[in-house]
Amino acid sequence: MARSTSLSEAEAGISCFTSSLPGFRGVLKHRYADFIVHEVARDGALVQLTSFDLPTECVDVNEEDKAAPSAEADHSPALESFRSLCGDADCNALKSLLERVSAGGDSDVSPVILSPDADKAHRSDVHNFFKKTFKFLVTDTVEHSDGVQRCIRVRLGSGAGGGRGGGGRGRGRKRKNMGSSDWRDDRPFDSRGSSNWSDNVGKFLRFHLYKENKDTQEALGVIGKMLGLQPRSFGFAGTKDKRAVTTQQVTVFKVQASRLAALNNRLFGIKVGNFCYVKEGLVLGQLTGNRFTITLRGVTAESEDMIKNAVDGLGKNGFINYYGLQRDDINEVRKHYKEHGDIDMALRNFPRHLVAERAILQCLKKCPGNHLQALKGIPRTLRMMYVHSYQSYLWNHAASMRVEKYGISQVVEGDLVYNKECPPEESTSVNILETDDGHTNSIEIDLCSEAQPEESIQSVKIVDSGDLLKGIYTFDDVVLPLPGSQALFPGNEVAEIYHEMARKDGISLTENAHGVKEFSITSMKGGYRRVFQRPIGFKWELMTYTDDSSSLAETDLDVLSRTKPKEANELISNQEQQDKLEKALDTSVPTNENSSQENKLIGSPDTLSKKLALKLAFILPASCYATMAIRELLKTSTSVAYQKTLSC
């Protein structure tokens, strides 16, 4: 698990800047709307929420499914038939499920487990009953917790017509452990399909997900719950910041756009639109980058020229391409568990999105003291994230050493660079990080939430004296490896820091000492990352404001309210109510009182006096951190501990 205290930048290897220009003071993410992110798709298109219209393609539904009752229909006759088939207890459980489904998104639509049934023929009758009578529900057979008896699980299907072919995991696949948190499927979407989907329409619905102050998994979890889908049913190219307003592409398998669009009136802080059907779903890494619109409030400096010089310096000189820090908001829970070892209390208090921590604790509860088995209880791809996190930790330290020892003005002998003289057909690729659900909250260094598309990865070479004479490489070309079995290390002193730091941690970069593949650096092929990054399409603007709660940059919903007021009016009004509630409850940013104290410190006793803000807009490639660009600009730490001092 992550450390019980927040990782400092120095501990994470983040120590250098590209320029010696002085920074200035500014508050980042005072409001979540001060940090706006738009995904840039693989074709270079900017992903924005611009329409709630349904696609022109029609997904045909067969006549049998059209005649089938919906979740909102009167099911009294069918329930009586089911009572005769399965008894009062199971009938009451099914009735409760139907009521929750009919109630909508605010209700719990978790599956129900029917009574143990040893009669296989009777179980078949039950499956067929649901197939004919409740096409929007899915059934499958699971094992009882005793490992012997069999039960039928009933849950909401993913398809519009439902049906057991429309959204469920296969009925024939037996599942151990009936609890929804104890079974899993590594498939990113349900590949079985449904019989009522037109052949001339793409099998994936792609849409633009707009979210405010929510992380990607949280937003998709809300949508999935309303649709009766597991979170892994959705595909996306990368996770986005939580404390921000973000828009990104998402795909889901064989779900009608009308079902998703109907959720908008019930979604708060989340909106979906720009629907279209496509042939393939999204996976991590399928993006070009992200465009950031960042507003720094309460900007103060010795002079306006100092601000302008610093901003121009960022645009010209760029920043060290460090992996950024991951915020950690549950330190107290981890600290309490470390001191008292109370597993039950920790499980009650750990948020459900902390999959790794919960998996470890659940295994330790069943098998006390078996720590290796507990680690194996973490989903496989999430286990690999820990390896990637350590790779990034080594990379950061190596990048700092490279800058400190050789500077940033030139390439030196022994540097690694992308090979400009290598023909395209000779270029090599490295593994792309695949995660089943993108949970990175349990890792201190937030790594690879977006991976570079494989085809963009080039071969590398070690710079020799001949390359220096040719002068074809610059510091922009210098890369450093994420260590792995096929990674090439620099041919100078920078290579040693990888092995030196790993040895201190008792880790080998060449051998698997413990036999657990997913926890071994050698199980990864490795990869490369540029040491230096310049913001693309860099623009900036100084502005004044008086109200700390005022919006200084337009979101997609703001634009829609201007350009399509009739279409967006109802959605915006609902959103504004939620904004007021969240603002009243939000204690993670400076309050007006704190802002007033800050103004007094800088010699502005009148809280209504004009304040200075800096708005930045730029694009970064996938997996680059905008917070590292802001760090270069302000010359201040991005660690949690330091950021808290700015709001005091």
Side-chain angles (χ1 to χ4, degrees):
M1 284 188 277
R3 304 184 186 187
S4 60
T5 56
S6 299
L7 200 67
S8 71
E9 285 192 346
E11 291 173 317
I14 302 171
S15 60
C16 295
F17 297 99
T18 59
S19 79
S20 58
L21 290 169
F24 53 88
R25 187 182 178 92
V27 179
L28 176 64
K29 295 187 178 182
H30 176 79
R31 301 178 75 245
Y32 56 76
D34 290 342
F35 202 90
I36 301 174
V37 185
H38 290 93
E39 190 171 86
V40 181
R42 297 186 81 176
D43 61 2
L46 194 66
V47 178
Q48 296 174 290
L49 184 68
T50 60
S51 172
F52 300 110
D53 296 337
L54 296 179
T56 56
E57 300 98 327
C58 178
V59 178
D60 295 330
V61 180
N62 61 42
E63 294 303 317
E64 180 183 357
D65 285 334
K66 287 179 181 178
S70 66
E72 292 77 18
D74 180 10
H75 300 293
S76 299
L79 285 171
E80 289 307 312
S81 299
F82 185 70
R83 188 187 306 275
S84 300
L85 180 64
C86 293
D88 291 341
D90 286 346
C91 181
N92 292 335
L94 176 59
K95 182 179 180 181
S96 176
L97 174 65
L98 292 172
E99 290 172 349
R100 295 196 302 270
V101 171
S102 180
D106 293 334
S107 301
D108 181 9
V109 290
S110 300
V112 298
I113 307 296
L114 303 183
S115 302
D117 190 349
D119 187 342
K120 185 174 181 179
H122 182 260
R123 293 200 305 269
S124 296
D125 290 340
V126 176
H127 285 303
N128 288 329
F129 174 85
F130 279 95
K131 183 177 182 180
K132 295 176 181 178
T133 311
F134 295 107
K135 289 183 174 293
F136 55 89
L137 296 179
V138 175
T139 63
D140 58 358
T141 300
V142 296
E143 288 186 358
H144 191 271
S145 57
D146 62 11
V148 177
Q149 300 184 83
R150 299 290 185 268
C151 304
I152 290 178
R153 175 174 54 192
V154 185
R155 59 192 177 88
L156 187 63
S158 63
R164 293 196 2 250
R169 308 292 196 260
R171 169 189 158 196
R173 299 183 65 180
K174 305 294 189 295
R175 298 284 180 183
K176 292 185 177 181
N177 299 324
M178 295 181 298
S180 60
S181 62
D182 293 330
W183 67 276
R184 63 188 303 273
D185 191 333
D186 285 327
R187 290 177 294 176
F189 54 84
D190 179 6
S191 59
R192 291 185 61 199
S194 59
S195 59
N196 62 348
W197 198 268
S198 300
D199 292 335
N200 62 340
V201 176
K203 290 181 171 59
F204 291 86
L205 173 65
R206 188 177 70 198
F207 61 95
H208 291 184
L209 171 67
Y210 170 95
K211 60 182 183 63
E212 298 184 349
N213 206 28
K214 293 175 175 60
D215 62 39
T216 301
Q217 284 296 324
E218 180 185 359
L220 293 179
V222 171
I223 294 172
K225 186 175 181 180
M226 290 183 173
L227 295 175
L229 296 174
Q230 293 291 326
R232 72 186 73 258
S233 300
F234 299 95
F236 50 88
T239 57
K240 306 302 178 192
D241 300 76
K242 175 178 180 178
R243 187 161 181 78
V245 177
T246 73
T247 310
Q248 66 186 110
Q249 289 185 336
V250 178
T251 57
V252 62
F253 189 66
K254 287 189 175 180
V255 172
Q256 292 187 19
S258 57
R259 291 190 67 208
L260 204 56
L263 302 180
N264 273 323
N265 288 329
R266 293 187 284 155
L267 290 169
F268 295 99
I270 306 168
K271 291 292 174 282
V272 291
N274 295 82
F275 305 103
C276 67
Y277 295 106
V278 295
K279 294 181 179 179
E280 297 182 355
L282 286 168
V283 297
L284 285 175
Q286 292 184 331
L287 77 167
T288 299
N290 295 284
R291 188 186 75 173
F292 298 90
T293 304
I294 299 173
T295 304
L296 298 174
R297 294 178 184 255
V299 172
T300 58
E302 292 181 5
S303 67
E304 190 169 306
D305 285 341
M306 178 182 289
I307 299 172
K308 292 179 178 179
N309 290 337
V311 176
D312 288 337
L314 173 62
K316 179 181 178 181
N317 301 320
F319 58 96
I320 307 301
N321 198 20
Y322 290 118
Y323 288 103
L325 297 177
Q326 171 68 31
R327 290 184 179 273
D328 186 356
D329 298 324
I330 58 166
N331 287 333
E332 290 304 316
V333 180
R334 291 188 175 122
K335 182 178 180 181
H336 187 278
Y337 172 70
K338 185 176 181 180
E339 293 177 354
H340 303 284
D342 189 339
I343 292 179
D344 290 328
M345 190 284 291
L347 284 171
R348 285 194 301 270
N349 288 281
F350 273 129
R352 291 195 174 275
H353 66 264
L354 294 180
V355 174
E357 284 86 342
R358 295 182 63 86
I360 288 174
L361 292 172
Q362 286 165 350
C363 287
L364 288 176
K365 186 175 181 179
K366 295 176 182 177
C367 305
N370 193 339
H371 297 98
L372 181 57
Q373 189 61 38
L375 289 172
K376 289 183 177 180
I378 304 172
R380 177 182 176 276
T381 48
L382 188 52
R383 293 200 299 266
M384 295 172 64
M385 288 291 289
Y386 285 89
V387 180
H388 283 279
S389 181
Y390 189 73
Q391 286 176 310
S392 71
Y393 166 77
L394 296 179
W395 190 97
N396 278 356
H397 281 277
S400 291
M401 179 181 179
R402 167 60 181 81
V403 173
E404 289 170 357
K405 190 169 186 64
Y406 301 114
I408 62 171
S409 60
Q410 61 184 354
V411 176
V412 299
E413 190 168 348
D415 271 338
L416 277 181
V417 293
Y418 283 132
N419 193 348
K420 293 182 177 179
E421 298 178 311
C422 178
E425 62 270 16
E426 295 181 18
S427 63
T428 59
S429 63
V430 300
N431 63 307
I432 299 301
L433 174 64
E434 297 175 356
T435 61
D436 58 341
D437 40 23
H439 294 292
T440 57
N441 292 313
S442 58
I443 301 173
E444 283 286 350
I445 295 183
D446 182 14
L447 163 69
C448 288
S449 56
E450 296 162 353
Q452 289 282 15
E454 185 171 349
E455 60 266 30
S456 71
I457 299 175
Q458 308 161 262
S459 68
V460 299
K461 64 166 294 181
I462 297 176
V463 173
D464 56 29
S465 56
D467 295 317
L468 294 179
L469 288 174
K470 294 177 184 177
I472 61 175
Y473 294 108
T474 68
F475 184 66
D476 292 50
D477 303 309
V478 175
V479 300
L480 285 172
L482 291 165
S485 61
Q486 298 181 19
L488 179 66
F489 287 92
N492 51 36
E493 294 181 43
V494 177
E496 183 54 32
I497 193 171
Y498 285 94
H499 301 283
E500 178 184 333
M501 296 192 68
R503 280 194 298 269
K504 289 180 180 178
D505 293 327
I507 294 175
S508 172
L509 299 183
T510 57
E511 298 178 359
N512 184 353
H514 45 66
V516 183
K517 183 178 180 181
E518 291 85 359
F519 289 119
S520 173
I521 292 285
T522 58
S523 69
M524 314 300 291
K525 292 180 182 179
Y528 304 95
R529 180 179 177 90
R530 293 185 187 275
V531 176
F532 174 78
Q533 181 63 53
R534 283 189 178 89
I536 303 166
F538 187 72
K539 298 179 181 179
W540 61 275
E541 175 188 1
L542 278 173
M543 59 181 67
T544 58
Y545 67 100
T546 56
D547 184 358
D548 287 332
S549 63
S550 62
S551 178
L552 301 181
E554 278 193 323
T555 67
D556 287 352
L557 282 186
D558 293 332
V559 175
L560 276 169
S561 66
R562 268 195 307 104
T563 59
K564 300 180 180 180
K566 183 177 180 181
E567 183 177 2
N569 182 58
E570 183 178 352
L571 299 176
I572 299 294
S573 61
N574 287 340
Q575 192 64 57
E576 287 174 342
Q577 293 176 12
Q578 182 70 5
D579 282 345
K580 292 178 181 178
L581 176 62
E582 289 183 355
K583 180 182 175 183
L585 297 176
D586 189 357
T587 58
S588 62
V589 296
T591 63
N592 284 335
E593 179 182 354
N594 289 334
S595 299
S596 175
Q597 291 174 357
E598 181 177 332
N599 285 327
K600 291 177 182 179
L601 288 174
I602 61 174
S604 301
D606 183 0
T607 59
L608 296 179
S609 63
K610 289 185 178 181
K611 304 170 189 177
L612 194 62
L614 173 65
K615 184 165 71 173
L616 307 163
F618 53 87
I619 293 174
L620 293 179
S623 84
C624 294
Y625 290 82
T627 51
M628 293 296 100
I630 301 303
R631 171 184 176 272
E632 177 69 35
L633 185 65
L634 302 182
K635 297 297 191 295
T636 56
S637 171
T638 60
S639 68
V640 176
Y642 182 81
Q643 289 299 314
K644 286 182 178 179
T645 66
L646 295 181
S647 58
C648 295

